[in-house]
Amino acid sequence: MERAALGWPGRLVRLPARSLALAAGVGAAAGAVSVGFWDAIAALWAVLDFPVRRFLQGLWPVFPATMIYPAVGAALAVAVTSRLFRFFRRPGVPTVMLDARNRWAKLPGALLPATFVGSVLTIGSGGSAGREAPVVAMGGTLGAVVARALGLLPRQRQMLVACGTSAAVAAAFNAPLAGVFFTLELVLGDFRVTTLAPVMVASVSGTIVCRALEGSPDVGHFRLPPFPYPPFRETLLFLGLGILAAVIAELFSSTNRLSHRLFSRLSVAPELRAALGGLGVGALALAVPQVLGNGYEWIVQACAGELPWQLMATALLAKIVATSLTLGSGGWGGDLAPLLFLGAMGGGAYGSALAQLGLSEAPAAFSVVGMGAVLAAGTRAALTSMFLVLELTGSYQVVPGALLAIAAASLAARSLRRVGMYHREVRELGGPAYEVQGQGLASIPARHLMRPEFVTLQAGIPLGQALPRLLSAPQVVFPVVDADGRVMGAVRLAAVKAALWGLPEEAPVVAADLAEEVPFLTPAATSEEAAELLALSGVEELVVVDPQTQRPVGLVDARDILRAAFAGEGVEVLGPRGSRN
C-alpha cells in the first residue's frame, strides 16, 4: 500500500537504471559543492594573508594577524550559523551516520549553507580543522533533500544520503575508491551489493565533476609525492608504526573530548567561547605555524622527507591541542584532515628515529603509511584508509607496509577502546553504532532489539487482581515497579504458577512477594551481552532499564536477538514482535 501511494517519483526510482541515474545526479551535485567549498576556503585565506594583512599592518605595523585571524573567524562562524541558520551545534560525520543508518533522510536543507559558511570562516581564517567532515555533511544533506522532495521509501532515502557522502569524499581527495569505502564502512556499515552499486556510481560522478571543474584529469587538492619504497627487510617495522598510530589516535580523541567538556562549562556567549579557542590556536601558531588550517602543505613536505624529526614531533603534539581548541570551543570543521596530519608527522618522526638507528633507508615512507594507520585507528575504517593512501600516492608499492600498519593500528586501537570516535558519538546520540552490519551480534544495541510495549506490575497489586494481565500478556517476565515507576525486580510467569499451586486461594500475595532479582540491560548494552545474560541467568526475557530514571523501557528475549541478526534489510525491530517499522 505504501508503494502504491508514492506517485510518479517513487515509481521512477524503483527501476535500477533510474536509481543509478539519480545516484549519479546527487553525486555530481555533491562533487560540485566539494570543489566550491575548497575554492572558497583557499580564496578567503588568500585575501586574509595578503591584502587584508597588508592593510592592517599599514595601520599597525606589528599587527598579530596569525594570532587574531583564527579567533575572529571562529567567532564569526558561530555567530552566522547560530543567528542566521539557527544551528547551535556543529553537525559532523556522526550526525550523517545517525541519519543514514536510521533511514531518516531528515538532515535539514539549511545544514548545507550553514556548514559551508561556518567551515569556510573557521578553516579559511586558520582554524585547525579539516574540510572532509564538512563535505560529508553537505553531501549527505543534498541526498536527504532530494529524497524528501521525491517522497522515497526509507531504503531509497538511505541510499541517496550515502550517495551524497560518497561523492563528496571522492571529490575532496580525487579518490573514488576511498569515497566508496568511506560510505560503506562508516556512514552505512553495510557491504551488500544493493548498497554498493549506487554508491559506486555516485563516487565516480563526483570525481568526474571535480576533475571537469578544475580542468585536469590529474587534479587533486591534496597529492602526495612518489612513494619512497623501503627495502623488503624494513616491512615488519610498519607493525610498530601501527601501534604508535593507535596511541596517537587515542590521544587525539581523548584530548578533543576533554576540550569539548571544558569549553561547555564556560558560562559565556558561544561566540566568545569560539573566539577563546581560536585565540589559543593563534597563540600556539606563533610558535608552531604548522597547526593553522588543514596542514596539507606540511603533510606533503613530511611525506617527501623534507622535515626534521624534532619539528614533526612538535607539530604532532601542537596539532592535537590546536584542533581540540578549534572544535571543542565550537568552531566549524572536521577531524579527518587532522588525523592525516598526525599520521604523517608521527610516521615521519618514527621513520626518522629508525633512520638514526640505522634501521631504515626510506624514513619518509613511514610518513605516508602513518596517515592511513592513524586514520584507521581513529575511525575504524581500515579499507577506507588503505585505499586512500593507495590513491593519494598512485603507487602499489605502498600496499605491503600499509596493510601491516593499518592492521596493527586497528587491533591496537580496539584494545585501547572498543569503538572508534565516530561510532562512539553515534552511540551517545542514541543510534546504531555497529561497525559493519552482518559482522555478528556484538554491535547491535539493546534499544534496537527490545520490544517497547510490555506489561509492568505495581509492587502492591494483589496476585489475584494481576492474573488477567499476566495470562493475556505476550511475555513471561514482568517488571515490578514502585510508586515512582522504578524497577524493584521482576516476576516470572513460572513463579506465578508455582505460587498458585502451593498457596491457599485466600492467601494475601502481592507482586512484590514474588519479585526476583534478575539481570537488567541498559539501552546501550550490546546484543552479545544480552545473549550472554540470557544464557547464564536462565531468565526467559531480560528487562531493559533506563540507567537515569531506573524505569523499564523494554524487553528482550532470544527471538528478538535472532530476528535482528538475520533480518535481511537490517535492524528494524523497534515494534512489537513480528512487526517492522
Side-chain angles (χ1 to χ4, degrees):
M1 294 299 293
E2 185 178 4
R3 289 182 181 270
L6 283 176
W8 72 266
R11 292 194 298 271
L12 174 69
V13 294
R14 267 190 277 171
L15 298 174
R18 300 295 177 86
S19 296
L20 296 181
L22 195 53
V26 170
V33 169
S34 181
V35 173
F37 179 59
W38 175 260
D39 290 341
I41 292 174
L44 178 59
W45 179 250
V47 170
L48 292 177
D49 195 41
F50 182 68
V52 174
R53 183 192 296 264
R54 186 173 181 180
F55 171 75
L56 293 174
Q57 287 178 343
L59 301 176
W60 183 10
V62 292
F63 177 73
T66 299
M67 186 173 179
I68 299 300
Y69 281 169
V72 175
L76 284 175
V78 171
V80 171
T81 53
S82 61
R83 299 177 189 277
L84 182 60
F85 299 108
R86 311 303 296 172
F87 280 97
F88 301 95
R89 185 175 181 271
R90 171 183 54 85
V93 174
T95 305
V96 180
M97 290 171 63
L98 180 69
D99 186 273
R101 293 180 178 212
N102 285 303
R103 302 180 178 180
W104 290 338
K106 292 181 179 178
L107 297 171
L111 177 58
L112 197 157
T115 302
F116 191 103
V117 174
S119 300
V120 165
L121 288 172
T122 300
I123 304 170
S125 61
S128 180
R131 73 186 187 96
E132 290 71 31
V135 300
V136 169
M138 290 187 286
T141 301
L142 274 173
V145 169
V146 173
R148 290 198 302 271
L150 296 178
L152 303 183
L153 293 172
R155 178 68 177 167
Q156 296 164 331
R157 295 176 194 166
Q158 181 189 51
M159 279 301 95
L160 284 191
V161 172
C163 287
T165 63
S166 175
V169 173
F173 288 110
N174 190 27
L177 284 174
V180 169
F181 282 97
F182 178 90
T183 298
L184 297 180
E185 284 190 291
L186 282 175
V187 177
L188 295 178
D190 188 343
F191 276 87
R192 285 172 294 173
V193 174
T194 53
T195 303
L196 183 62
V199 169
M200 291 174 66
V201 170
S203 182
V204 171
S205 177
T207 304
I208 291 174
V209 167
C210 172
R211 293 175 179 177
L213 291 177
E214 295 291 347
S216 170
D218 299 321
V219 69
H221 299 305
F222 174 44
R223 197 72 179 174
L224 295 180
F227 179 69
Y229 186 65
F232 177 74
R233 65 179 179 273
E234 297 183 19
T235 303
L236 292 180
L237 296 175
F238 287 97
L239 291 172
L241 175 61
I243 296 173
L244 175 63
V247 174
I248 292 173
E250 177 60 25
L251 179 61
F252 172 73
S253 177
S254 300
T255 306
N256 196 14
R257 292 176 66 86
L258 175 62
S259 177
H260 277 80
R261 289 197 298 271
L262 293 178
F263 274 106
S264 66
R265 296 174 184 172
L266 294 179
S267 300
V268 297
E271 294 86 350
L272 181 56
R273 186 183 303 137
L276 290 174
L279 196 62
V281 173
L284 188 58
L286 293 176
V288 190
Q290 290 79 11
V291 303
L292 293 175
N294 52 39
Y296 281 161
E297 65 275 17
W298 298 105
I299 293 176
V300 172
Q301 291 186 44
C303 293
E306 298 173 358
L307 299 180
W309 72 266
Q310 299 93 332
L311 176 59
M312 290 188 285
T314 303
L316 185 152
L317 297 175
K319 189 68 172 179
I320 291 176
V321 175
T323 304
S324 299
L325 288 172
T326 299
L327 301 182
S329 63
W332 285 63
D335 39 25
L336 283 175
L339 285 174
L340 298 177
F341 182 96
L342 297 177
M345 298 301 155
Y350 176 81
S352 296
L354 293 177
Q356 297 267 347
L357 297 172
L359 299 177
S360 176
E361 298 177 12
F366 294 91
S367 277
V368 178
V369 174
M371 293 168 53
V374 172
L375 182 64
T379 64
R380 303 297 199 271
L383 290 175
T384 301
S385 304
M386 179 67 249
F387 282 111
L388 180 60
V389 171
L390 177 61
E391 289 183 290
L392 289 178
T393 59
S395 172
Y396 284 98
Q397 293 178 333
V398 74
V399 171
L403 285 176
L404 286 180
I406 289 172
S410 300
L411 293 174
R414 187 176 292 276
S415 69
L416 294 174
R417 192 176 300 278
R418 185 168 184 175
V419 295
M421 60 185 196
Y422 293 146
H423 300 89
R424 186 179 182 183
E425 290 188 47
V426 171
R427 184 173 64 187
E428 291 171 352
L429 291 171
Y434 52 80
E435 292 184 11
V436 177
Q437 197 166 342
Q439 64 180 333
L441 298 178
S443 57
I444 305 175
R447 65 171 59 87
H448 290 276
L449 302 171
M450 68 185 190
R451 288 163 282 130
E453 298 178 3
F454 58 96
V455 173
T456 61
L457 299 177
Q458 291 292 328
I461 188 172
L463 181 58
Q465 185 178 339
L467 270 178
R469 302 177 65 190
L470 295 175
L471 298 177
S472 62
Q475 64 193 76
V476 294
V477 173
F478 299 83
V480 177
V481 298
D482 60 18
D484 296 323
R486 294 189 294 264
V487 176
M488 300 174 56
V491 172
R492 301 167 65 182
L493 194 57
V496 174
K497 293 179 180 178
L500 290 174
W501 181 263
L503 291 175
E505 185 174 346
E506 65 277 4
V509 177
V510 297
D513 297 328
L514 301 178
E516 309 173 31
E517 289 189 3
V518 295
F520 297 137
L521 288 176
T522 66
T526 66
S527 45
E528 182 182 52
E529 295 167 336
E532 183 178 358
L533 279 178
L534 283 171
L536 296 179
S537 67
V539 177
E540 299 87 347
E541 291 173 314
L542 296 172
V543 182
V544 183
V545 178
D546 186 323
Q548 303 297 325
T549 64
Q550 294 299 309
R551 294 182 178 181
V553 293
L555 295 176
V556 171
D557 65 13
R559 288 171 293 181
D560 297 317
I561 299 174
L562 291 174
R563 283 189 304 113
F566 292 103
E569 288 297 316
V571 184
E572 294 184 296
V573 291
L574 294 179
R577 180 176 286 120
S579 68
R580 280 178 176 265
N581 286 341

